[in-house]
Amino acid sequence: MNWLVNNGDLIGQLVVAHLLIAIPPIILSLVISVPIGWLANRYAWSRGTLLTGFGLLYAIPSLPLFIILPLIIGTGLRDSINLVVALTLYGLALMVRTTADGLASVDPDVRQSASGVGFSGRSQFFRVELPLAGPVLLAGIRVVAVSTISLTTVGAVIGISSLGSLFTDGFQRGIGAEILTGIVLTIILALGVDGLLVLLGRILMPWVAVNSGRVSRRERRRARLAVVA
Amino acid sequence: MIEFCSVTKQFPGGTLVVEDFSLVIPSRKTTVLVGSSGSGKTTLLRMINRMVDPTSGRIEIDGEDTALLEPVALRRRIGYVMQNSGLLPHLTVINNVATVPVLNRVPKKQARQDALLLLDTVGLDRSLADRYPSQLSGGQQQRVGVARGLAADPNILLMDEPFGAVDPIVRAELQTELLRLQTELDKTVVFVTHDIDEAFLLGDQVVILEKGGRIAQVGSPTEILSAPATDFVATFIGADRGKRELSIRSSPSGDILVDADGRAAGVLIDSAGGPAL
Ligand SMILES: Nc1ncnc2c1ncn2[C@@H]1O[C@H](COP(=O)(O)OP(=O)(O)OP(=O)(O)O)[C@@H](O)[C@H]1O
Ligand SMILES: [Mg+2]
C-alpha cells in the first residue's frame, strides 16, 4: 500500500504511456481492416489468400518481431513505433477476418434494395454495408482492444514504458505490490476501454438494441405488472 | 412509355430466363406482370432500372434506350418497391423515405419535410417517423416502402410483389390504398405478382407470363376474363375450374351469386350501388 501511495505520479505517467501505445493500434487495425475486408469479399481468389495471410500474422512470436521490425522499418530498437506496428499487425490478424465476415453477412435483400433505389457502389458500401456490419466490427474490435492493452505490457521487456514496466521493475526489485499494481491496472484499463467501446457502439448504432428486440425497462415493468394482475 | 424490344436474358449459369420478350407498357397506367414462380417476372422488372442488363434486345423509356443511361441516375428517377419492403434496417422510417432525395443532394431538412408529407400520402401516422423498420408491422413497412418509392417523385414506379408477405386483410387494405394513390398520382406502375386476383384488381393491363418469360396473353382484365387466349391462361385464371363463371341463385334472404361449384361468391348489385331487382 505504501508503495502505491509513494508512486502515484509514476503510475499516472505509465497509464498515459500505456494508452498512447495501445490506442493507435486499436484504431489502425479497425481502419485498415475495412479496405482489406472489402477486398477479401470482392474476388474469388482474394478471400482465402487474404484471410489466411493475415491470420498467420498472429503466429509470429512477439519478441523476434520486436527485433526484426526495426530492421525493416528503420526505427531504433527502443522506439515505441515498433511496438505500435507490431500490435497493429496482431490486431489485423484478428480484425481482417472479422471485418470480411461482417461485410459478407449483410442481408442480400437489403443490398439489392439499396442498389435498386439508387445507391452508387461507393455510397452503398459506406452508408449501408459498413454500418450494417457495425455490430460484428464492434465485437471484433472489443477483442482487439482487450488483447492489445494486455500485449502492450510486453514492450517493457525491450524497454518501452507501459504498465508492463511495473512487472519488470517489480520483479527486479522484488516489490510484490508493484507487480500486483501493474496487473490490476492493466485489467482495469482493458475493462474501461471495452466499456467505452460498448458505449460508443450504443451511440453510433442506436438501431441495434431496437432490432434485437430489447425491451425498455418501462415495457418490462408493464409486462411484469400484467403478469401479477 | 416503357418498351421491351426482343429482350433476351441469359444468366451466367446458362439458364435462359427471358427469351425474345417484347411488350409496350403504356404511361400513367398500371401494368401487372403475373406468372408463377421462376417465370422471370423479377428479372423483367429489374431490367427496367438496369439492376439486370439484357443479354440482347433493347429497353426504351419514352424512346430512350436505357443501355445508354447511367444506371445509378436511372434508378434514382424510378421508384422501386420490393417484397419485405427492403427498408434499410439501420435508418428510421423518415430517413428511409428520404433516402433517395438525400442521395440526390436535396438538403436534409427539406428531404425530411417532404418525407413527412409522404407518410401522410401513404396513410401512415407521423408518430411512426422516428421508429426503426423492425418496430413496424409488415403492412406499415410496406407503406413505408411505397413512400420511399415515391420520394423522388418518379414517373415510373416498379413494384415487385410488394404485398406478398402480409396477411390477406392487410393486403386488401394496401391494394385499395394503391388504387386510390394511383388515381391521385397518375404514375406508370409496373407491378409484379403471382396472385391473379391481385393482377385483375390492380391492372389496367395484365400480362400473363409462362415459363421463360413467354407472354401467354396481354390485355385488360375484362379481355382476359372474357376470352382466355390459351388453355394455360384459362387454367391460370381459374376459368377451367369454373371459378370465374358466376350464376345467380335465389335464396330465401335474396339473390346471391354462386360459382360453378355452387359456392357463394357474392351478391349482385346494380351500378347505382343498391341491390339488383
Ligand atoms: N442472378 C441470377 N443468376 C442466375 N439465375 C438467376 C438469377 N436471377 C434469377 N435467376 C433465375 O431466373 C429464373 C427467373 O427468376 P425471377 O426471379 O425473374 O423469377 P420470378 O418470376 O420473379 O419468380 P418469383 O415469383 O419466385 O419471384 C429463375 O429460374 C431463377 O433461378
Ligand atoms: Mg420475383
Side-chain angles (χ1 to χ4, degrees), chain A residues 112, chain B residues 10-18 35-46 52 83 160-161 192-194 209 211:
Chain A
Q112 290 285 348
Chain B
Q10 185 164 25
F11 279 108
T15 35
L16 205 54
V17 180
V18 175
S36 42
S37 194
S39 54
K41 307 180 294 292
T42 298
T43 306
L44 284 167
L45 195 73
R46 288 183 173 177
V52 174
Q83 191 171 2
D160 193 349
E161 303 202 37
V192 161
T193 179
H194 53 242
L209 295 170
K211 282 262 166 314

Side-chain angles (χ1 to χ4, degrees), chain A residues 30-47:
Chain A
L30 176 63
V31 171
I32 298 173
S33 76
V34 170
I36 300 173
W38 172 83
L39 189 64
N41 289 323
R42 185 74 182 77
Y43 303 102
W45 61 265
S46 54
R47 190 174 172 84

Side-chain angles (χ1 to χ4, degrees), chain A residues 108-110 112-121 123 127-129 131-132 205-207 210-212, chain B residues 46 49 51 72 75-76 78 80 82 84-91 99-100 102-103 132 134-135 148:
Chain A
D109 271 358
V110 172
Q112 290 285 348
S113 140
S115 90
V117 300
F119 279 91
S120 64
S123 59
R127 296 203 213 173
V128 179
E129 291 168 18
L132 287 178
M205 302 183 284
W207 74 90
V210 169
N211 291 4
S212 63
Chain B
R46 288 183 173 177
N49 69 356
M51 288 172 77
V72 171
R75 287 175 206 148
R76 288 187 194 170
I78 295 180
Y80 182 67
M82 60 187 241
N84 295 322
S85 76
L87 296 176
L88 300 176
H90 62 304
L91 300 184
T99 303
V100 183
V102 167
L103 285 173
Y132 287 96
S134 66
Q135 296 172 298
R148 181 177 68 171

